[in-house]
Amino acid sequence: MNTVQSLPELRAAIARARSEGKRIALVPTMGNLHAGHIALVKQAVERADFVVASIFVNPLQFGPNEDLDSYPRTLAADQSKLLEAGCNLLFTPDAQVMYPQGMTQHTIVSVPGVSTGLCGGSRPGHFDGVATVVCKLLNMAQPDMALFGEKDYQQLAVIRKMVADLNMPVQIFGVPIVRDTDGLALSSRNGYLNAQQRASAPALHQCMQTVKAQIKNGRRDYAALFEQLNIDLQVAGFRLDYVELRDALSLQPAAVQSTQLVLLAAAYLGSTRLIDNLIFDL
Ligand code: PAF
């Protein structure tokens, strides 16, 4: 597996693979890879003939008080995990390659509707940063397909809408959340948790499972269910950011005719913000 940093090197390697008739998959990441990322690479290996991963900690998607500087950079470990998973090429551009004129002068891709509320409400500008960098990475690599984790459910919806609205010739695949044995959704940010917080962290998934079970049992008093979840999370040491029930396809608030739902939540343990979601049928 080669690692390249520049756009000409990326394009040359992909052109070689294309000339051999290979189908190209792109797995965009910010590095610090865990089993969730590796599941994306493994799906990509199954679906395509040449798998490109990218690692770029995108400053454009971090707010002023967020963890851009402390975000873990673990390139050597990431390279060996990617190699083992069957990745063919790693693209590690720096900010000069991605934003040569700086970020303030750069064109911004803004996806209306799905970018607002949920994480978009708590992290203003975040999804503009995500859409812009993903649009660039897709244009740089021009893959047949790209794969993203369903843990960032709203991000996946933003990317799907961007690709549809801009007629981008790429297929987008969502890959289910990978969880630790205690239910905690894998995330690079789990590494910020101290031992006590890590022990409490699965409560987020457990409380969400309880809400899901009650909805499936016919309860529709969502305000009361969410208030109970808030109380249960507080007992476990969390501070709830949001919990919402949405239509899993449109990401609009759940309606009577919604048949597939997604329960989405974000909550803080200390200063670490964790997100999770559960997709289920009614
Ligand atoms: O999910 C992520 O790691 C990032 O948001 C992404 C899609 C790589 C864009 O920077």
Side-chain angles (χ1 to χ4, degrees):
M1 183 190 76
N2 264 349
T3 300
V4 296
Q5 273 194 297
S6 72
L7 180 56
E9 288 171 302
L10 174 75
R11 288 244 165 102
I14 291 178
R16 256 194 314 277
R18 276 222 182 280
S19 71
E20 292 161 10
K22 292 183 172 161
R23 274 171 66 74
I24 316 292
L26 177 67
V27 179
T29 81
M30 298 206 301
N32 192 228
L33 304 181
H34 51 65
H37 297 109
I38 297 311
L40 300 178
V41 175
K42 291 197 166 149
Q43 273 266 346
V45 168
E46 276 179 26
R47 292 183 182 277
D49 312 301
F50 190 80
V51 176
V52 184
S54 65
I55 295 180
F56 177 60
V57 183
N58 173 32
L60 201 56
Q61 69 188 74
F62 285 79
N65 299 316
E66 293 185 350
D67 54 343
L68 173 63
D69 293 336
S70 57
Y71 201 87
R73 273 96 168 155
T74 54
L75 182 61
D78 293 346
Q79 282 170 317
S80 51
K81 288 177 191 170
L82 289 169
L83 178 66
E84 200 189 328
C87 180
N88 301 103
L89 179 69
L90 173 60
F91 180 45
T92 57
D94 60 14
Q96 185 56 34
V97 169
M98 295 304 284
Y99 305 117
Q101 262 104 56
M103 293 191 296
T104 51
Q105 289 308 306
H106 202 282
T107 299
I108 296 299
V109 180
S110 192
V111 182
V114 284
S115 296
T116 55
L118 304 169
C119 289
S122 323
R123 305 182 67 188
H126 170 66
F127 288 117
D128 288 359
V130 170
T132 301
V133 80
V134 172
C135 182
K136 284 178 70 76
L137 289 166
L138 291 174
N139 285 336
M140 287 170 146
Q142 298 178 11
D144 298 286
M145 67 192 82
L147 297 91
F148 299 87
E150 284 179 352
K151 186 178 77 67
D152 297 290
Y153 198 83
Q154 188 177 12
Q155 164 173 287
L156 183 56
V158 167
I159 292 166
R160 284 193 198 282
K161 180 166 165 58
M162 171 186 76
V163 163
D165 286 357
L166 299 181
N167 308 100
M168 299 173 78
V170 61
Q171 230 183 330
I172 302 298
F173 290 104
V175 177
I177 296 178
V178 178
R179 298 184 182 278
D180 228 324
T181 46
D182 58 10
L184 177 65
L186 295 191
S187 162
S188 298
R189 292 194 166 99
N190 294 350
Y192 298 150
L193 302 172
N194 64 31
Q196 193 192 345
Q197 291 168 334
R198 177 62 191 80
S200 309
L204 179 58
H205 177 56
Q206 285 154 11
C207 292
M208 291 173 73
Q209 289 276 28
T210 304
V211 171
K212 171 185 146 182
Q214 289 175 317
I215 295 172
K216 282 189 83 96
N217 277 342
R219 289 219 13 210
R220 295 292 179 267
D221 52 339
Y222 300 132
L225 286 174
F226 294 164
E227 185 44 35
Q228 188 59 51
L229 172 132
N230 186 13
I231 292 167
D232 294 345
L233 282 179
Q234 276 178 27
V235 171
F238 278 92
R239 182 167 55 84
L240 183 65
D241 179 2
Y242 68 76
V243 56
E244 286 199 40
L245 188 69
R246 297 274 181 121
D247 184 291
L249 294 178
S250 66
L251 212 57
Q252 294 302 303
V256 206
Q257 66 272 21
S258 301
T259 50
Q260 203 179 36
L261 298 175
V262 57
L263 180 69
L264 305 117
Y268 289 90
L269 256 183
S271 55
T272 304
R273 186 172 176 279
L274 301 180
I275 61 172
D276 204 342
N277 65 75
L278 287 176
I279 305 165
F280 57 99
D281 293 323
L282 270 192

